[in-house]
Amino acid sequence: MTKPDAFTKTLRWPLLLTALWLVAGGAGAMNRVVYPLTTLDDADSRYEYDWAVLREALRKTEPRYGPFTMRQSTHAMSSPRVAQELLTPGGRINIFARATSPELERQFLPVRLPIDKGLLGYRMFLVRSDDLPRFAAVNTLDDLRKLRAGQGTGWIDVPLLRDAGFSVVEGSSYPGLFAMLSAGRFDWFSRGIDEAQREWRERHVAFPRMVIEPTLLLHYPLPLYFFLRRDAEGKLLAQRITDGMEMMIKDGSLNALFQRYKGASIKAGALAGRRLLQLKNPHLTPETPLSRGELWFNPITGK
């Protein structure tokens, strides 16, 4: 009988440790998902679709990975706090969904499959109704640069827009951005197609001067990913989500969810009648799967 050499013994140790970790409860930890509560504001439905995708990806992988539990944190967290909780071993959450950046991909483990097929990169504007003539006169990016954009502190759009020569006013509170727009602190709030329409429905009573600008569509590639903690649990959970999302892409269930949650907004956005302004996103990493056409929304077909 041939004795194992030193190299073979070395290879066995990681496998043995992984097996011991699973037996000790790691598999159970991998199947427990806690996602963030981002605000106590009742009118905040930004992430409903993202968690629906996550739930379906976990459900599809039950035969291989086993049952799962999925719940929302009971502690409301700001965007910076969400990131801090995921950086902290044993933090209150073990996943979040966010538009990607090189820094996020260094700090956390990304699932590089765009949750919303890149729809977040197609931007409509929330503006004040009395400013509509100013936006109707915008035909180029230079025209748009004369007007001040509003974004949340730490959002990836901030450096992207500033690098492109835009004046950006930051707000520390997501609900507060709507009040800042109404008060004239900035001129346009750049939002995803479905975000703008949902936020107008949820908040136009509180901010009656706020309207959706009807003539412009700004686009920059902006993948929305799931991010996990960079530890053993995070790696296994990331693999499970990747496997589940790939199954969803292949069997059409991701597109079915996308259409269920986003289809009406895409149709109501009347994209074909808008003036498209294109921006590059220099902050994408080389690993961004831009070559996989099936992963990305096509505004011409609406799919």
Side-chain angles (χ1 to χ4, degrees), residues 98-130:
R98 190 169 296 179
T100 193
S101 71
E103 182 180 8
L104 284 176
E105 293 187 29
R106 284 192 300 269
Q107 289 181 314
F108 306 106
L109 189 62
V111 174
R112 289 193 180 92
L113 296 169
I115 302 166
D116 68 345
K117 304 182 65 172
L119 183 66
L120 188 61
Y122 290 90
R123 315 295 286 186
M124 291 162 55
F125 308 151
L126 295 172
V127 304
R128 294 178 296 278
S129 56
D130 48 338

Side-chain angles (χ1 to χ4, degrees), residues 8-22:
T8 303
K9 290 179 180 179
T10 302
L11 285 177
R12 283 180 179 174
W13 273 107
L15 295 173
L16 178 60
L17 289 173
T18 299
L20 289 172
W21 184 81
L22 290 170

Side-chain angles (χ1 to χ4, degrees), residues 10 181 288:
T10 302
L181 172 64
T288 306

Side-chain angles (χ1 to χ4, degrees), residues 118-183:
L119 183 66
L120 188 61
Y122 290 90
R123 315 295 286 186
M124 291 162 55
F125 308 151
L126 295 172
V127 304
R128 294 178 296 278
S129 56
D130 48 338
D131 279 343
L132 286 175
R134 300 173 70 190
F135 286 91
V138 170
N139 291 291
T140 66
L141 289 172
D142 282 337
D143 293 336
L144 188 59
R145 288 185 180 100
K146 298 172 185 176
L147 301 165
R148 296 165 300 166
Q151 290 286 275
T153 300
W155 293 5
I156 184 56
D157 311 73
V158 174
L160 193 155
L161 291 171
R162 282 181 175 157
D163 289 350
F166 289 92
S167 174
V168 182
V169 177
E170 295 182 68
S172 60
S173 159
Y174 165 69
L177 285 161
F178 302 95
M180 291 173 68
L181 172 64
S182 183

Side-chain angles (χ1 to χ4, degrees), residues 28-281:
M30 177 190 68
N31 296 332
R32 293 193 298 268
V33 178
V34 185
Y35 58 94
L37 173 65
T38 52
T39 176
L40 291 175
D41 186 348
D42 290 336
D44 183 10
S45 56
R46 287 175 291 170
Y47 299 97
E48 287 180 357
Y49 166 75
D50 306 336
W51 308 136
V53 170
L54 178 60
R55 186 174 290 104
E56 182 64 10
L58 295 172
R59 189 191 67 78
K60 282 190 174 293
T61 52
E62 281 187 305
R64 178 176 178 182
Y65 291 92
F68 67 93
T69 62
M70 181 175 162
R71 66 175 179 85
Q72 189 171 48
S73 169
T74 56
H75 296 78
M77 305 175 192
S78 65
S79 184
R81 185 64 197 176
V82 167
Q84 186 58 46
E85 287 289 341
L86 200 62
L87 279 174
T88 304
R92 292 189 178 104
I93 60 170
N94 61 357
I95 192 169
F96 66 71
R98 190 169 296 179
T100 193
S101 71
E103 182 180 8
L104 284 176
E105 293 187 29
R106 284 192 300 269
Q107 289 181 314
F108 306 106
L109 189 62
V111 174
R112 289 193 180 92
L113 296 169
I115 302 166
D116 68 345
K117 304 182 65 172
L119 183 66
L120 188 61
Y122 290 90
R123 315 295 286 186
M124 291 162 55
F125 308 151
L126 295 172
V127 304
R128 294 178 296 278
S129 56
D130 48 338
D131 279 343
L132 286 175
R134 300 173 70 190
F135 286 91
V138 170
N139 291 291
T140 66
L141 289 172
D142 282 337
D143 293 336
L144 188 59
R145 288 185 180 100
K146 298 172 185 176
L147 301 165
R148 296 165 300 166
Q151 290 286 275
T153 300
W155 293 5
I156 184 56
D157 311 73
V158 174
L160 193 155
L161 291 171
R162 282 181 175 157
D163 289 350
F166 289 92
S167 174
V168 182
V169 177
E170 295 182 68
S172 60
S173 159
Y174 165 69
L177 285 161
F178 302 95
M180 291 173 68
L181 172 64
S182 183
R185 296 278 302 281
F186 52 81
D187 302 311
W188 52 286
F189 187 12
S190 174
R191 307 303 290 143
I193 291 169
D194 61 317
E195 289 178 326
Q197 296 176 62
R198 185 175 63 250
E199 289 165 348
W200 180 84
R201 288 194 302 270
E202 294 171 347
R203 300 174 187 273
H204 75 277
V205 173
F207 302 102
R209 296 174 61 212
M210 184 177 74
V211 297
I212 300 172
E213 200 287 322
T215 67
L216 299 171
L217 184 66
L218 178 66
H219 177 245
Y220 39 85
L222 193 63
L224 178 71
Y225 293 154
F226 291 120
F227 289 92
L228 294 303
R229 192 173 284 117
R230 283 192 174 274
D231 59 13
E233 175 190 333
K235 289 177 182 177
L236 287 170
L237 184 53
Q239 187 59 58
R240 176 172 184 164
I241 295 168
T242 299
D243 291 350
M245 288 187 67
E246 290 285 11
M247 292 168 69
M248 294 172 70
I249 292 162
K250 186 175 181 179
D251 68 15
S253 55
L254 180 62
N255 193 58
L257 266 182
F258 178 79
Q259 291 297 331
R260 185 192 311 168
Y261 279 83
K262 313 289 188 180
S265 293
I266 291 168
K267 184 177 180 179
L271 307 187
R274 292 173 174 268
R275 294 189 296 283
L276 180 63
L277 304 176
Q278 290 276 11
L279 266 186
K280 293 181 179 179
N281 184 352

